[in-house]
Every structure is written in structure tokens, then in C-alpha cells.
Amino acid sequence: AAPGGAPRDRVVVLIVAATTAVLALGLYLAVGSPGTPDQPFAKRVAAWRAADPASLDPSQMAAVLSVMAKNNPTDPAPLQAMAIAQMASEQPIAAQTTLRKALRLAPESPGLWASLGESFVAGAQGVVDVDAQRAFQEALKREPANRAANYYLGRAAFAAGDKAAGLARWRAVLDTLPADDPRRAGLEAEIAAAQAGGPTQAQI
């Protein structure tokens, strides 16, 4: 409530809040399972750690990696893997927080900077925004041939209308991919489309 609000307004808010709580409790008693024993989170994580990793969904894998990161507080690798799992489970903001922790441990890692850039892209619904571009540039300072950074900065160049710069970055990435790399076909198709007139804004 705004400071100095009318007493009647505050009473209305309290009534609505109390009613909401009562309705929620009634709904839970009607369709929930109040008699089911609790399943502590730690117990579930322990079960996931003992399971085949291929059977876990991304959010479960992120929980397992969170424990690993706590048990190895000076190792950035579990944090990076945890961030990838968080992005896969559509938690880009959580991934950004995790990657910043990892970068405090390994600030010179180009892979971590590139992953941070990808988390910004995920959070921006595929747009390579300013934050993502800065992260990718940090990756390139440490590894000029970083594939992810060059690919996404190429996308940013196309979005800005700089077709030549975008093609140059994508061709540089293509040159680093082995002949049998399954990503070559997709990138070659993108390059061909760009040469023919450039990708549409929707494709970008």
C-alpha cells in the first residue's frame, strides 16, 4: 500500500490476501496429497547422482552439478557444466549467475566467456544483445579463433546490416571445423543463404 493510504484500502488488501490463502489451502486439500511423506531435496539429489546421467533431465542434472560445484569450490568446470544444464532447462538468468561465479575462479577462460555470451543470447530469446557481444569479445581477446564467439558475433553483424563482416566470421568458423564435423553442413547452408541475399530477421 502507498504510504498514507486510506485504512479502508489496507483492509481490502488484507481480506484479499487472507481469502487467497484459504482458497489455496482448500484446493490443496481437495486435489493434493497432504498425506504423502516429504521427499527432501537432498535425498532426491542423492538418487539422481546414483542414476545413469542419460536418464536425468536438464534441471536434475543442474542439481547434481550444483552439489559437485559445492564439493569442488575452486574448480570452474562443474559450474560451467551446471550453467549449460541450466540453459537447457530454460534458466538463462541462473546460468548467468553460475557463469559469473566460474569466471571469478578462471577469468582468463575463453570458454567461460563464450558460455556467458550464449547465456545472454538465450535470455534475450536468440538476440545477440550488447551484453552477449561484450562477453564474446572477451572470449576472442583470449582465443581469437573461438568458434562460438565468432559465430554469434557474425549473427550480430548480420542483424546490424553488415553482411561482409558476418560472412567473414562464419567463414572463419567453417575453416576451423574438421571435414567430418556434423556442424559443417548447417553452417555451409547458412553461409549460402547469406550470400544469396542474407538471412531474414526471423532467421537471425
Side-chain angles (χ1 to χ4, degrees):
R8 188 175 73 78
D9 293 338
R10 289 194 290 273
V11 170
V12 170
V13 170
L14 290 172
I15 291 173
V16 170
T19 302
T20 301
V22 171
L23 289 174
L25 177 60
L27 181 63
Y28 175 64
L29 292 173
V31 302
S33 301
T36 302
D38 287 341
Q39 293 183 319
F41 185 69
K43 185 176 181 180
R44 281 178 283 161
V45 172
W48 296 335
R49 292 185 70 181
D52 178 359
S55 69
L56 303 180
D57 64 34
S59 61
Q60 292 169 339
M61 182 61 73
V64 169
L65 289 164
S66 175
V67 173
M68 293 177 64
K70 288 178 182 178
N71 292 338
N72 299 275
T74 61
D75 185 359
L79 289 169
Q80 185 174 20
M82 175 181 166
I84 292 171
Q86 288 170 327
M87 282 190 279
S89 58
E90 300 182 353
Q91 301 179 67
I93 305 303
Q96 291 163 23
T97 300
T98 300
L99 288 164
R100 291 185 189 281
K101 291 179 182 177
L103 280 165
R104 285 197 289 271
L105 296 173
E108 296 304 313
S109 169
L112 287 174
W113 282 109
S115 291
L116 181 62
E118 289 177 310
S119 72
F120 285 127
V121 173
Q125 304 301 311
V127 176
V128 188
D129 61 13
V130 174
D131 289 330
Q133 291 179 48
R134 287 174 180 162
F136 290 132
Q137 292 289 0
E138 290 293 332
L140 292 181
K141 287 179 184 178
R142 295 155 176 86
E143 184 187 11
N146 185 278
R147 291 169 181 161
N150 277 306
Y151 174 78
Y152 283 105
L153 287 174
R155 280 178 49 179
F158 281 118
D162 193 343
K163 178 179 175 179
L167 283 170
R169 288 197 181 277
W170 283 5
R171 286 174 180 146
V173 174
L174 187 64
D175 288 342
T176 69
L177 293 174
D180 59 349
D181 192 303
R183 294 172 293 181
R184 284 189 68 92
L187 185 54
E188 286 171 344
E190 289 187 273
I191 290 172
Q195 289 173 325
T200 66
Q201 188 63 37
Q203 289 171 326
I204 292 172

